[in-house]
Every structure is written in structure tokens, then in C-alpha cells.
Amino acid sequence: MTSGSNPGFRRTLLAMATAGLLLGGTAAAQDLNAARVASAAEPEYDSFIVKYRAGTPERGNPAAMMRSLGGNGRSLGALGAGNGKGKALGFSHGRRLATGADLVRTDRKLDRVEAQAMMRLIAANPDVEYIQPNYKQRALSTPNDPRFAEQWHYANSATGARVPAAWDQADGSGVVVAVVDSGIVAHNDLNANILPGYDMVSSVNGGSSFECSRYGLPAGCGGSQDGNGRDADATDASASTTGVHGTHVAGTIAAVTNNGTGVAGIAFKAKVVPVRALGKDGLGDTADIADGIIWASGGSVAGLPANANPAEVINLSLGGDRPCSDTPAYQDAINTAIANGSVVVAAAGNSNIDVANATPASCNNVISVAASDNKGNRAFYSSWGATIDITAPGGETCSPSTEFLPLNQAPSCTRSHDEEGVLSTVAGNGYAFFQGTSMATPHVAGIVALIQSAASTPKTPAQIRTILADTARPIAASKCPGGCGPGLIDAAAAVAAVTGNDPVDPPTDPVDPGRQTYANTADVGIRDYRKVESAISVSGRSGKAPTDAVIRVDIRHTYRGDLRVDLVAPDGSAYLLANRSGGGTDNIIGSATLDLSSETLNGTWKLRVNDNAGGDVGYINEWSLTF
């Protein structure tokens, strides 16, 4: 049924729904009903999740529930409704969800106005706790061609997650992480850490052409594609480009490490339970995802065997652009998982919107994760906001023409650079760089696994949230428009917080392990006839700097002959690096060895750049000191 098929029907239906709310009696009942009805923002619906209150005749009794819904269907049909031509709107029972709600279907599709009015009419029944559409959700990243390179996103650096510095205290041993995603494919660098999972995708045929076209996908999107619905085989059956999403996520968490091949996993001694809840083209139903969350946590799902390996951590690299208040089935599932002892970590989303409008990241008790790029900025696509719990590397395989897009503007990019993405496992025993909050989230899930493996007793979700926040490295507002929560995750400090050990020292120089490297990767603009500075703070050291300290600079400028560049020591002494040399060539990129033996190591070191002419501008891209 299209939105223009029967406007008279929709007006009458809305009037009936409103009357059901206003004539019901008490103000309390009206308030409860208002809270129970989720929004209908998609073009058409024929699948809904309805939950009746505990102790009501309909709760746990499909026959009683269908009689109740049937009465609503007759009321709607009496209006001569749209495609039904006066017939009652029919309902059929799909299944009981592990949340205690039920999946029901209508015998014809309703447009968004009709669906909203129908839900309000049903919610007028005081026995109903909530009703919502069975929304489609999708994976939050798109893969690129395989390529192997350094995993900068783990590094002991200003922009990495400082994972190697945590490995001397924790490796994830004994912890189970569930990846509720698109499933998994066999991979030689991952297989040893995979436990039995489950395929939750219940729709064999998937969505219609109309349903799928709004996502730019072919008919059948969201279908199981293996032709048999739910079963114990969590293999990702999708042949589309998103078909390796879950495998990439799992590799970040627990790829086999120290095996002389491929990539490393963050919690490389942890085990992964794959839960396939996203079907063809990375699309999945709320009902399947909710059941998957509960099953992963060790909860009971009707008709399914129990999960023999309940997860301490659940990774949700998926979602949709709507608040959690519109998806109470998610909140139910998450509450159950938390009660079962799981920590739930969810992607903030890739829509450059306030995370308050993203699900499941905006649900209560979830650890919501924003994404950063390899310079420590919020990734241009990442959602943001006051309720972000932590930021982690999500990478950028492509970027827009400017560092940041206006808030709420749909993300788009023009410049490709795969190596700045997050590298992990993909199909065919391959590796590829992806970008997305989907990639940031398993960094957090893996680090939570490290924390739990190092802790003497498991930490609660609230304690984990506090640990991550207290040990995060703050991100300046200029580097994160909209807000990145407490800052960039620090694996070493987070693990140290539960072991009682001091955080690991800054990274050491690979040639001389006695040396340490300090870097600042924040961009600093260079304008005509101006002096700018970029600072590095050194602490925890003693004595003087060496005679052969190494400074590396990366300054981007379209006329290097305009520039004078100095290293400024903590006492104010200046060491000349370049003085208007190089004529009209671009950029100053390279290293120099300096005798800094008269300077103390501790203090604030600065790279000072003077632009002494007009017409050309640039920026300090990054610089570092090794001593």
C-alpha cells in the first residue's frame, strides 16, 4: 500500500488511535501508551514486535494474543481500509522472542502512517507494554580490496589504542567474546580461536524489491541465503561485499597471534562465538538481533539449544539511525544480557549524527563507541555526542575534501587511502582495510576482554565503563566536533587499572630499546606571516637528553622557502632545523640528529614554524622526538 492509496482511511485510522488514547480514562494510561509506541519511519511494514505486560492474559499465550489483535484488525477493517477493501486486517503469530515479546505479521503491508496509527490503537490496550516495527538493521562498514600493512590502530602511539603495551599483563585468556554480526568464514589466522556459534537469521527469502531498494540493495536483502533459516551453522553465506564483515570484526578481537603469519588480534587468547544475525547484504531484523544478543549471553531462546559458551563480552558492530526508545526490543535484550553477566559494546554508527539517535548504541547500559582516524581526529563518518562512552581507532580508507563534515551531513569521501583503515581478516584467508565504527567497536570489545582476563574478579558493565573513561586520553574539541566522550581508548592504562601495576612507559625505539619516541600528530595550520607551535610533553624520565637525539618532521606547505623551523627545548633554547631553504619546492619532510645533551629530558618540547612570506600556506602534519 502506498502512502497515497487511501488518505481517508489514514485520517480515520489516526482519529481512532487518538480516541483510544484520550477516551481510555487516566492520564497515567495515556503516558504509558505514549512511551510504548515506537516511530514508523520506513516506507512500509508488515512485521511488528509486541510485548504484553507480565500477568496479562496475552503474555505467553499466543492464542489469547491473537484474539486481542484480531479485535483491532476487525476495527480497522470496518473502515474499508486500503488494500484490504473492507476486510479485517489479519495478524499471524511469528514466534516468541527471548525478550518475552512476540513477533507478529500483518496480512498486508501498511505504509508508515497506517503502521503508526495501527500501533497506537494496539497500544491503547493497557495490557500492552510496547509495540514497534521489526526494523531492518545493517552492518556499519564497507570492505575494500585486501592489502596487508602495519596495524597502526593498535600501536603504542598518540593515535593507536596502545594494545602491545597491555600484552605484558593480559592476553584475553579464558574470556569469551560473542560477535553478533553477519557470521564468519573459515580463516587460517582465526579458526583456532572460534567456538561453535549459531545462525539466527530466520527469514529465508529476505525483503521485497521495495523494502530493499531503500538501502540500494537487490530484492532478498536480509535473507538467510543458505535456504534453511535458523541452524547451528554460523557461516556467513553472503556473496556480497559485506559478507566478510563479521570475519573482519572477529579478527580484530582475536586473530591468532605470534604464529608468524597475517595479523594480530587484540585479545589473542580469547575465544569468539559467532552469532549470525545479519543476512544477505549485511541486513538483519531487530527480532533476530535481539534473540542473538540474548542467546550469546547464555539466555534462553525458544527452539534453540543453549549457548555452551556464554559471552562475557558482546560486540554489536551494527545498528540503525533511530533512538533506542523506538526499539524497546533492543533494550529488553540488552537488559537480559547484562543480567546474565555480559558487557555489551556497540558501534555509534557511521551517519555523522548524535549517537542519541542511533540504536543500539543509545540504549541504556551499552558501551557506545565512536571512531577515530590515524591522526587522532574523530573519523569524518563517525557519530558523536554527549553519550559516547569511548572512542577507538576506526580508520579512514577514504576521506572527504575537508577534515570534518558539518554535523549531521551525510558522510561522503573523495580521497582513497586504504592503508589508513583498520586491517583484519577477510574471506579466502585474506586481509583487508575497512573503515567504520564497526571497526572501532571490536577494539573496545577486545580491550574489555583484556581487562576481564587481568581482573581478579570480573568487572561489571558500569565498572568497565568507568575504567575506560578514567584511563582514556582526552581528545580536544577541535579534533572531535560534536564530542568523543572521555577520549581515545588506552589499552595499557585500562589493564593497569585492574592489575594495580603502573602503565607501560611510552614506546621504545626499535633500534635502541633504551630510547623512547614521543609524537604529536595533531594538525596545526600555518598562515602567512605567522608563527605557530606544536608541543610534546615528556615526563617520567630523568637526566639529560643525548648527543644524538632524532627529530622527525612532516610539514606540508606549498612553498618551503617561506619557512623557518626550530626545535624549542623546555628551557626555551632553540635549535635550527630549516631556514627558508629549498626555494619553491613543497613540504619539509625528513629527520635530523641533534646534540641536546645540555637539555633535561622532562618538560615541554615545541616545534616552532615561522611563515615569513605571503601567498602560500600549509600545516604541521606531525612530528616526533626520539631520545
Side-chain angles (χ1 to χ4, degrees), residues 264-484:
I266 290 174
F268 55 87
K269 290 292 183 69
K271 301 297 183 183
V272 169
V273 171
V275 181
R276 185 175 184 241
L278 303 179
K280 183 183 177 184
D281 301 303
L283 215 63
D285 287 343
T286 300
D288 291 339
I289 297 168
D291 276 357
I293 292 169
I294 291 176
W295 186 86
S297 73
S300 176
V301 179
L304 272 61
N307 177 12
N309 302 285
E312 288 92 333
V313 189
I314 298 176
N315 188 99
L316 301 176
S317 290
L318 49 80
D321 294 346
R322 57 180 57 84
C324 191
S325 58
D326 277 3
T327 57
Y330 262 135
Q331 191 63 69
D332 266 359
I334 289 162
N335 291 345
T336 300
I338 297 295
N340 288 340
S342 299
V343 176
V344 181
V345 185
N350 299 340
S351 298
N352 187 27
I353 62 172
D354 192 324
V355 69
N357 296 311
T359 300
S362 65
C363 293
N364 295 332
N365 302 315
V366 165
I367 294 175
S368 58
V369 184
S372 60
D373 65 14
N374 72 342
K375 295 179 182 177
N377 302 308
R378 174 174 66 80
F380 73 95
Y381 53 79
S382 176
S383 291
W384 38 265
T387 57
I388 291 291
D389 289 307
I390 196 70
T391 298
E396 289 185 3
T397 57
C398 63
S399 299
S401 56
T402 58
E403 189 71 64
F404 299 107
L405 299 172
L407 300 183
N408 299 306
Q409 178 175 312
S412 61
C413 59
T414 56
R415 298 180 291 115
S416 296
H417 35 75
D418 278 3
E419 71 281 358
E420 294 182 18
V422 168
L423 183 66
S424 189
T425 47
V426 295
N429 292 317
Y431 305 89
F433 292 98
F434 290 6
Q435 68 175 22
T437 54
S438 278
M439 284 54 261
T441 304
H443 281 74
V444 179
I447 291 168
V448 172
L450 294 180
I451 293 170
Q452 297 291 47
S453 72
S456 56
T457 57
K459 300 299 180 182
T460 66
Q463 290 171 328
I464 292 289
R465 181 178 288 103
T466 298
I467 290 168
L468 295 178
D470 289 349
T471 58
R473 292 161 286 173
I475 300 174
S478 61
K479 295 172 71 65
C480 183
C484 285

Side-chain angles (χ1 to χ4, degrees), residues 134-152:
N134 186 22
Y135 299 114
K136 298 289 185 183
Q137 309 281 267
R138 70 179 310 172
L140 295 177
S141 75
T142 302
N144 295 278
D145 293 335
R147 181 179 171 185
F148 180 78
E150 295 295 328
Q151 289 174 287
W152 63 267

Side-chain angles (χ1 to χ4, degrees), residues 53-284:
R53 298 184 186 281
T56 60
E58 299 90 349
R59 181 69 175 264
N61 187 335
M65 182 184 67
M66 298 314 295
R67 284 194 297 271
S68 176
L69 292 176
N72 291 304
R74 288 189 294 274
S75 297
L76 299 174
L79 299 171
N83 292 340
K85 300 184 184 302
K87 295 171 57 178
L89 180 66
F91 293 89
S92 61
H93 186 257
R95 69 173 187 274
R96 189 79 188 280
L97 274 64
T99 62
D102 290 85
L103 179 65
V104 299
R105 299 187 184 280
T106 57
D107 63 356
R108 56 182 178 269
K109 293 187 181 295
L110 305 177
D111 70 26
R112 66 186 67 182
V113 177
E114 295 160 346
Q116 190 75 47
M118 182 273 288
M119 290 190 295
R120 289 191 179 279
L121 187 61
I122 290 173
N125 180 349
D127 288 355
V128 174
E129 182 174 326
Y130 65 73
I131 181 169
Q132 68 161 82
N134 186 22
Y135 299 114
K136 298 289 185 183
Q137 309 281 267
R138 70 179 310 172
L140 295 177
S141 75
T142 302
N144 295 278
D145 293 335
R147 181 179 171 185
F148 180 78
E150 295 295 328
Q151 289 174 287
W152 63 267
H153 35 99
Y154 291 179
N156 297 331
S157 68
T159 59
R162 296 195 71 220
V163 173
W167 282 338
D168 65 334
Q169 301 184 71
D171 56 16
S173 294
V175 178
V176 175
V177 183
V179 175
V180 181
D181 209 288
S182 66
I184 202 165
V185 295
H187 197 291
N188 290 340
D189 207 12
L190 187 55
N191 295 340
N193 284 339
I194 300 300
L195 294 172
Y198 214 86
D199 180 358
M200 291 285 170
V201 180
S202 57
S203 173
V204 175
N205 297 320
S208 67
S209 297
F210 182 84
E211 290 173 316
C212 297
S213 62
R214 70 184 305 266
Y215 297 107
L217 300 174
C221 65
S224 65
Q225 204 166 8
D226 54 14
N228 56 7
R230 289 185 167 183
D231 56 38
D233 182 3
T235 301
D236 188 336
S238 179
S240 72
T241 54
T242 56
V244 290
H245 189 270
T247 304
H248 196 279
V249 169
T252 297
I253 294 169
V256 179
T257 303
N258 295 324
N259 62 343
T261 187
V263 296
I266 290 174
F268 55 87
K269 290 292 183 69
K271 301 297 183 183
V272 169
V273 171
V275 181
R276 185 175 184 241
L278 303 179
K280 183 183 177 184
D281 301 303
L283 215 63

Side-chain angles (χ1 to χ4, degrees), residues 34-45:
R36 285 199 297 267
V37 182
S39 66
E42 296 179 5
E44 60 180 24
Y45 302 86

